[in-house]
Structure formats: structure tokens, C-alpha cells
Amino acid sequence: MSAKRPELTVGLSGPYYLHTLKKLLRELQPLFSLSEPHVVRVDLSGLTFMGPAALALTLATLSKLRSEGLLAPGSVITAPRSQAMFTYLYRMDFLRVLFEDAHVEDPVERHVSTGLRECRHFTTEDECLQAARDLAEAVEEKVSPDEMAKNSLYVCLSELAENVFFHAATPYGGFAAAQPFARSKEIEVAIVDLGVGIAASLSQNPEYAAEVTDDLAAIKTAIRPTVTATPGRNSGYGLAFTRFLLDINKGRLIVRSGRGYLQEGAHRVERIDDYPLPGTLVALRLRTDRPFDSVKAWDLLTKAIEEILGAISDGFRASNDQAR
Amino acid sequence: MIKLADEFGPVLAGRVTAVGIREEIESLARQGEDVVIDLDGVEAISPSFADELFGKLPAAVKESITFQGGSPFLEHIARMARTSRDPGNDPQS
């Protein structure tokens, strides 16, 4: 006779916005620390809203548990009572991504919604780029038919998605989602991984190991240009470029890793939280009424790099004056 | 000539993609060929792509390369990526 598996119930209720993610982290803590299979009951019956960051984080958590075989037979997800929330979870492909190997039927007709993108799971670089391209298109739909905006977002999101690929050191990859918020004229894009986190990643580089005194210090270090855990392979431009792009847009860049929390842009916030996120969450709140301009972001990035490394010069040849 | 937009579209992103192009350039340069990289049609380049393609080119290979068709903006990116990996600037060197 097999031994009875231990049980664990986690209840998520009410709304989960980007700015109330602390509550979600508190409620997910028991799942983060699971080390042996449990019969897990995830009660979503009281759920009324989940923004992209909350959705991606919850999905990443359950997906990892499932991949690690920690969800014992009998584990169950109780659907939200709210029909709208129930439909939204399907619409965002929550179950389809969680049960990637199963066929999940939509219970309702799927309508195209501009700016909204289903949850994405990516593990390879191709999948990173596809997710970035898809999320960028979502943003473009809500902003303007402007190639610059779409291209800038694609560039920025490809960097963030690739950070998961190169730095998170997790076989479970990353998760992403996007949704527009009409009232605040913003679109939220979130990318989450449950990898080693920024502090552990950055500590690999002896140059920054001393600076990384805690999770917040690690995040603040990581968003500086040229800072990378692996200088031989990577450049440390991605997060810095994203920060400059958001500065121009007057949007917000939010980075959570471990207990660290940093919000750059309008209303800068930094703090150490009580409940750690075992990995990294990067969320962008982009203003849909402001431009995204990668040319200006590159200009700011170049100036910042010049401040660190000195004036730029090179030995390339060019075949015409324009290229020089 | 390597026309990047024709092969990879108007937005160049992805470090792994850039590795393949850099290796192709290095191979051509080793065979003694002058390599022309045509940036016409390229609208944006990601920092990782620029670093991987321009930043990691060996100095000897760089001398065999000519750019054409790029805007001053794209040339700026190439310079920036190249310079940040110059031995004198590399904290790991």
C-alpha cells in the first residue's frame, strides 16, 4: 500500500495587480518551498483579476512544480467562480500553457482583443524571439501603426526574453504575457522565470560579487550598462537599453528578484520585500499615448557606455560617407 | 556581400542568430575575401545582436569588413558595440 501523499492547499482570491504582487508572492511561498510531491489544491474560486505579471508568475510556479513531478496525483485547480475570470484564464491560455502536452478546448468562442496576448512559455532562443515578436505586436496594436514602436519593443523584449535564456539557468524557461489597461493608457508586459535570480547570476562575475550585497543591490547593479554576469558571452546592454526606452516613454520598468524590488521611471521605488521571488520578474508598464523610440534609447545607452568606457572609436571601414 | 535585411528581416535581434552571421563573416575573411555587410533595409538592431556581431569580431577580421547602406544611426551602433569590447576597455582582459 502506498503512503498517503502530504497535502497542501493554496488559495488565491481577489485581484492581483502588478502593484499588489506582494500578496501573490506571500500566497505562493508554500509552493516555492515544496521539495517532495504533494497533493496540491490550488483554489482559484475567489479570484477576480490577474494582471500579466501575476498570471505569468502563477503559471511559472505551477508549471515548474508540474515539470519537477511535485504535483502528486489528486492535485487539483479549482476554477474561479467569476465567469469573467474563468473565461479570462482560458483566453490567456493559462491551462493550455500549464498542460502543454494536453489538448485544452476553449469553453467559449475566442475573440481577438487588441493589445492582449496569451501567456507564452519559451525555452529556446527561437521561442524567446517569437514571444518577443508577438508581445511587440500586441503593444503596437494598442499604440500606433508605427514601425518604430513595434521595432523598438521587439528589440527590448528580445533582450529581456534572452536574459532568461542566458542568465536564469533554469530548464523551465520563461513565461510572458501582455495586457492593455485602457483607463491608465498603459500596457503591461511581464516576463518571469524561476531561475537562479539576479544576485546569484551576477555573483558569478568577480567584478560585481562585492557589490551584490543583497537582492536589491543586485538589481540596481544589473540595470547599469555593461554589467553582466558573463562578460565573455554577454554585453550587459539589455536591461539598460530597456530602462532608457522606458524613460523616453515615461513608462515604468519593474524588476523583482529574490527579495529585491526596483521600479524605475515615474515614481522610482526600491525596497526589500518580505516574501522572495525565487527567480526574476521583469515587467514593463508602457504608456500607450507616448512614443517608443529605440534610436533615442540607443543614443542614451551609447552616452552611458561612453561615460563608463571612454569615447567610442573603431577601425571599421565604410564604403560611403553615409555609412561612416 | 551579406545583405542582412534580406536574410533576417528589418529588425536584427537574437544573439544566437548573430553568432551564425559572425562565423560566416570570419570564415569568408579567413579565405582572404573582403566582406561587404549591407545594412540597407535594416531598421533596428538589438544590443545583444550588435554585441555578438560587431563586438566580437576579431581585430584581424574587422579589417576585411566594409559596411554599406547603413544609416549613421546603425553605424553608431556598430561602433559602440565594437568599442565596448576593445581589449583596453574590457575589464576581463
Side-chain angles (χ1 to χ4, degrees):
Chain A
M1 200 172 109
S2 62
K4 194 177 176 215
R5 295 286 192 191
E7 296 184 3
L8 175 66
T9 298
V10 171
L12 304 183
S13 65
Y16 293 92
Y17 297 98
L18 183 59
H19 64 275
T20 59
L21 222 53
K22 257 199 299 193
K23 177 171 167 259
L24 179 62
L25 281 169
R26 186 185 65 211
E27 281 148 2
L28 292 177
Q29 289 302 311
L31 297 179
F32 293 148
S33 55
L34 227 53
S35 59
E36 60 171 314
H38 278 60
V39 175
V40 176
R41 300 177 203 286
V42 182
D43 183 0
L44 304 181
S45 60
L47 196 61
T48 57
F49 180 76
M50 266 194 165
L55 205 55
L57 175 58
T58 306
L59 195 49
T61 306
L62 295 177
S63 183
K64 185 176 182 223
L65 291 178
R66 186 164 185 264
S67 299
E68 290 179 333
L70 296 174
L71 300 179
S75 294
V76 63
I77 297 175
T78 307
R81 278 192 302 271
S82 156
Q83 184 62 36
M85 189 62 218
F86 178 74
T87 305
Y88 175 75
L89 285 185
Y90 270 98
R91 180 66 186 82
M92 293 298 280
D93 277 347
F94 185 86
L95 293 177
R96 190 165 286 157
V97 174
L98 182 57
F99 301 105
E100 286 175 310
D101 45 357
H103 177 73
V104 177
E105 287 276 358
D106 274 348
V108 290
E109 191 181 348
R110 182 173 291 237
H111 296 285
V112 174
S113 175
T114 58
L116 181 143
R117 276 301 181 275
E118 293 82 0
C119 298
R120 288 277 181 272
H121 179 205
F122 51 90
T123 51
T124 66
E125 194 195 49
D126 277 349
E127 289 170 350
C128 289
L129 295 179
Q130 184 53 49
R133 197 174 291 119
D134 194 39
L135 294 169
E137 282 172 6
V139 174
E140 184 208 17
E141 288 166 4
K142 269 289 166 192
V143 180
S144 65
D146 172 6
E147 283 298 307
M148 170 66 84
K150 185 170 79 172
N151 293 346
S152 301
L153 256 299
Y154 174 42
V155 163
C156 155
L157 294 170
S158 72
E159 291 290 314
L160 298 179
E162 279 202 318
N163 277 349
V164 175
F165 181 70
F166 285 111
H167 299 300
T170 169
Y172 308 116
F175 295 80
Q179 191 191 336
F181 292 83
R183 194 179 301 171
S184 61
K185 294 184 178 169
E186 288 179 303
I187 184 161
E188 180 179 316
V189 184
I191 293 178
V192 178
D193 72 75
L194 297 184
V196 297
I198 292 176
S201 177
L202 215 48
S203 295
Q204 294 173 61
N205 184 342
E207 190 183 356
Y208 304 113
E211 273 186 71
V212 181
T213 50
D214 58 41
D215 290 320
L216 178 59
I219 297 171
K220 288 164 73 175
T221 304
I223 64 167
R224 294 201 322 250
T226 76
V227 172
T228 177
T230 48
R233 185 184 61 193
N234 301 97
S235 58
Y237 300 158
L239 265 178
F241 179 81
T242 303
R243 180 161 62 95
F244 292 131
L245 196 57
L246 269 288
D247 277 350
I248 295 160
N249 175 256
K250 306 284 184 204
R252 288 177 284 159
L253 167 68
I254 290 111
V255 184
R256 274 184 180 277
S257 187
R259 292 179 194 277
Y261 175 95
L262 181 68
Q263 175 177 303
E264 285 278 336
H267 313 297
R268 192 176 189 282
V269 180
E270 58 175 73
R271 64 172 185 255
I272 296 284
D273 278 339
D274 293 336
Y275 300 102
L277 188 159
T280 304
L281 181 153
V282 179
L284 317 179
R285 288 285 285 212
L286 308 157
R287 295 282 301 269
T288 58
D289 57 347
R290 302 261 322 164
F292 304 108
D293 191 335
S294 65
V295 174
K296 283 185 185 166
W298 264 111
D299 191 40
L300 292 171
L301 178 63
T302 308
K303 282 179 181 148
I305 290 169
E306 282 185 322
E307 276 181 26
I308 296 165
L309 301 176
I312 283 171
S313 64
D314 78 298
F316 282 124
R317 289 183 288 139
S319 63
N320 58 45
D321 288 338
Q322 189 191 25
R324 288 291 299 171
Chain B
M1 180 191 295
I2 298 173
K3 191 163 169 50
L4 293 174
D6 282 358
E7 289 188 51
F8 305 100
V11 185
L12 305 177
R15 192 171 280 278
V16 176
T17 306
V19 169
I21 305 169
R22 181 166 50 76
E23 286 173 350
E24 184 186 346
I25 292 168
E26 288 181 25
S27 170
L28 289 169
R30 272 198 297 272
Q31 292 165 34
E33 292 191 32
D34 281 336
V35 183
V36 178
I37 299 177
D38 188 349
L39 294 167
D40 192 36
V42 175
E43 294 170 11
I45 300 180
S46 80
S48 290
F49 188 98
D51 174 59
E52 192 66 46
L53 180 55
F54 307 123
K56 292 186 181 176
L57 278 173
V61 172
K62 198 174 68 169
E63 290 169 6
S64 309
I65 292 172
T66 306
F67 286 102
Q68 73 172 31
S71 65
F73 162 62
L74 294 173
E75 183 246 354
H76 190 61
I77 291 174
R79 283 205 339 252
M80 189 277 292
R82 175 70 193 93
T83 302
S84 65
R85 284 201 182 265
D86 270 351
N89 288 330
D90 189 347
Q92 298 302 302
S93 66

